[in-house]
Amino acid sequence: MITPEQTQELHASEVYWTARAMQEQGSRFYRALGDALHAADAANRRLILTTWPDACWDFYRRGLRLRAAECEG
């Protein structure tokens, strides 16, 4: 389970990199969830992040690494 601080950070973050990490590195399910997260409005985005907090946190961290790698290149 993620901490309340991590939950707050996840909900405050831009979802682009989280969704991209899901689409590029996830299983078929997480690729589809990444597509849904990217297209979701605020209410549905909150629903996705609340329903799968641990997985979303993992992909959020992966997204941060993707963003860092892209900024370096």
Side-chain angles (χ1 to χ4, degrees):
M1 228 35 211
I2 65 175
T3 67
E5 293 80 17
Q6 291 170 323
T7 300
Q8 184 178 5
E9 183 177 342
L10 185 60
H11 283 267
S13 70
E14 177 186 348
V15 297
Y16 172 79
W17 291 103
T18 304
R20 183 167 164 188
M22 288 176 166
Q23 293 162 340
E24 291 181 8
Q25 300 175 2
S27 65
R28 184 175 168 192
F29 173 79
Y30 286 113
R31 287 192 307 264
L33 190 59
D35 290 341
L37 183 61
H38 183 71
D41 61 12
N44 286 318
R45 186 175 303 139
R46 174 166 269 118
L47 179 62
I48 291 168
L49 297 176
T50 303
T51 304
W52 293 283
D54 295 322
C56 289
W57 179 255
D58 177 50
F59 282 106
Y60 167 70
R61 303 283 297 163
R62 293 182 194 197
L64 292 176
R65 290 191 294 272
L66 283 174
R67 183 179 71 185
E70 190 165 296
C71 288
E72 288 176 4

